[in-house]
Amino acid sequence: MKKTSLCIHGGAGVITRGSLSPELEKEYRRGLEDAMTCGLKILSSGGNAIDAVEAAVVSLEDNPLFNAGKGSVLTHEGVCEMDAALMDGSTGKAGSVAGVTTIKNPVRLARLVMERSAHVMLAGKGAEEFARTNGAEEMPADYFLTELRKQQWEKMKNSDSVSLDHDGNKKFGTVGAVALDTNGNLAAATSTGGMTNKRWGRIGDSPVIGAGTFADHVVAISCTGHGEFFIRHVVAHEISALMRMRNMTLADAAGLLVDTVLKNAGGEGGLIAVDHDGNIALPFNTPGMYRAWTDASGNIRTGVYRES
C-alpha cells in the first residue's frame, strides 16, 4: 500500500513568541490538530485525497480563529467576501469561487463547481445562485462575524488602506490542505476571507488555479501570503513546472519560489506541498506560519513559529 501524506496551513505572517498568549497558541494548535484528524480519518480508511483536503479545510473554515468561512475578515463595506479553490491532481479538474458572502463552506462550493458545472471559477452573485441551485448550505451574514474581525474593521473602515495583518501582527489568514492518498492521487484545497478593508471586489491568489492552489500527478500545493505576488509569479504551478522540467526536488523547487523569487519581489508568505512520493515541504519567508503535518511515525505535529 502506498504511503499517505497530509499537511495543512492556517496562514503565515509576523507570528512570533510573545505575539500570542499561551492560551491562544494552544487554541490555534488544537484547531490545526482537529483539521488534521478530519483529513487523516479519510486517508487512513483508504479514502481519496480530494475528500481529505476538503474535510480538513471545512474544519478550518468552521473554526473562527482562522480567516476563512466563519471568522473571515471584513471588507470596506463591512461584509465577508470569501474565496476558495480545490483541485484534483488525478483528473486535472478544479473548481473555485470568489467573492461569496453567504456560503457556509466556500471550499464545498468550489467542489460543486468542479463536479457539477462546465466551469472552473464562479464569482459573486452568480456563484451564490449556483450554490442555491445545487443545495450548498448558506448562512446569514452574522454567522461569519466575530468580535475580533469587527474590531479590526472599526480601526480601518474610514481609511483607504487594506490590511493583511491581525492587530499589527501581519498574519496572512488563508487556510489550506494538501494530500496524497493510498492510490497515489494528489489534491489541494485553499480557502480565505482575504484582506481586511478590501475594496472593489479584490480577489487574491487562493481561488486562482496555478497561483495559490494547484495539484497534478507530481505535486499538490496550497499557498498563503500576499496574494498579488503569488498571482504574478504563478507560484503553485511554477513549483510543479520546476519539478517536471528541471527535475528539481520538492524541497528545492518550493524553497526557490518562497525564499528567492517571492522574497526578491517583495512578496511575503509561505506554502505547503506534498509530492507523489509523500515528501512534504512547508517553506515560509515570514517569522511564522500556522501549520500541521504527520511525522514518520504517523503522529500529528504542529508548528507556529519558525522553530515550531
Side-chain angles (χ1 to χ4, degrees):
M1 180 179 292
K2 191 175 180 68
K3 70 177 289 188
T4 63
S5 291
L6 176 71
C7 51
I8 65 174
H9 71 77
V14 182
I15 310 163
T16 58
R17 294 190 186 277
S19 65
L20 298 175
S21 68
E23 294 75 20
L24 187 56
E25 181 183 334
K26 287 180 181 178
E27 288 186 39
Y28 272 109
R29 290 184 186 270
R30 188 178 303 115
L32 293 168
E33 290 172 357
D34 290 345
M36 284 289 290
T37 299
C38 290
L40 289 173
K41 183 178 180 180
I42 292 169
L43 292 177
S44 63
S45 62
N48 297 326
I50 198 76
D51 294 332
V53 296
E54 180 185 24
V57 170
V58 164
S59 178
L60 294 167
E61 288 178 336
D62 289 344
N63 188 326
L65 287 175
F66 299 99
N67 176 19
K70 185 177 179 66
S72 290
V73 299
L74 302 180
T75 67
H76 186 74
E77 292 75 25
V79 299
C80 296
E81 287 183 359
M82 299 165 286
D83 310 328
L86 180 145
M87 189 166 187
D88 186 343
S90 66
T91 63
K93 292 183 178 180
S96 74
V97 293
V100 296
T101 60
T102 65
I103 307 304
K104 181 176 185 288
N105 294 111
V107 73
R108 284 183 169 157
L109 181 56
R111 184 161 185 178
L112 289 174
V113 172
M114 180 182 76
E115 295 181 340
R116 299 188 187 180
S117 82
H119 310 299
V120 172
M121 180 184 287
L122 299 180
K125 292 181 179 179
E128 291 172 356
E129 181 181 350
F130 174 83
R132 287 187 286 273
T133 301
N134 286 274
E137 187 173 3
E138 295 187 87
M139 298 297 286
D142 59 2
Y143 165 81
F144 301 98
L145 300 181
T146 64
E147 188 59 35
L148 173 62
R149 303 308 186 205
K150 292 177 184 177
Q151 292 173 4
Q152 293 169 347
W153 177 66
E154 288 287 344
K155 293 178 181 179
M156 298 188 66
K157 67 179 182 180
N158 294 322
S159 73
D160 290 325
S161 62
V162 294
S163 177
L164 290 159
D165 54 325
H166 290 203
D167 288 343
N169 287 329
K170 206 167 189 182
K171 173 190 170 294
F172 303 106
T174 306
V175 307
V178 293
L180 171 73
D181 64 31
T182 56
N183 294 313
N185 298 324
L186 293 157
T190 313
S191 183
T192 187
M195 292 175 159
T196 301
N197 207 41
K198 63 184 179 182
R199 302 180 72 177
W200 309 302
R202 180 265 181 186
I203 297 169
D205 64 307
S206 296
V208 180
I209 301 302
T213 308
F214 188 73
D216 58 13
H217 65 284
V218 174
V219 65
I221 304 116
S222 174
C223 302
T224 173
H226 195 148
E228 280 71 11
F229 291 90
F230 283 79
I231 293 171
R232 290 169 188 151
H233 295 279
V234 203
V235 168
H237 183 270
E238 189 74 357
I239 292 171
S240 172
L242 289 170
M243 294 175 70
R244 287 183 288 109
M245 299 178 187
R246 293 182 57 183
N247 202 32
M248 291 181 69
T249 66
L250 171 59
D252 287 345
L256 175 64
L257 264 297
V258 172
D259 295 325
T260 301
V261 175
L262 281 176
K263 202 167 185 177
N264 289 347
E268 297 177 285
L271 59 87
I272 56 173
V274 59
D275 70 16
H276 57 84
D277 291 321
N279 300 307
I280 65 171
L282 306 96
F284 52 97
N285 61 26
T286 52
M289 182 172 76
Y290 296 113
R291 60 203 187 276
W293 67 100
T294 51
D295 62 21
S297 300
N299 300 312
I300 296 174
R301 300 282 305 278
T302 64
V304 175
Y305 316 107
R306 181 159 295 282
E307 64 279 17
S308 291

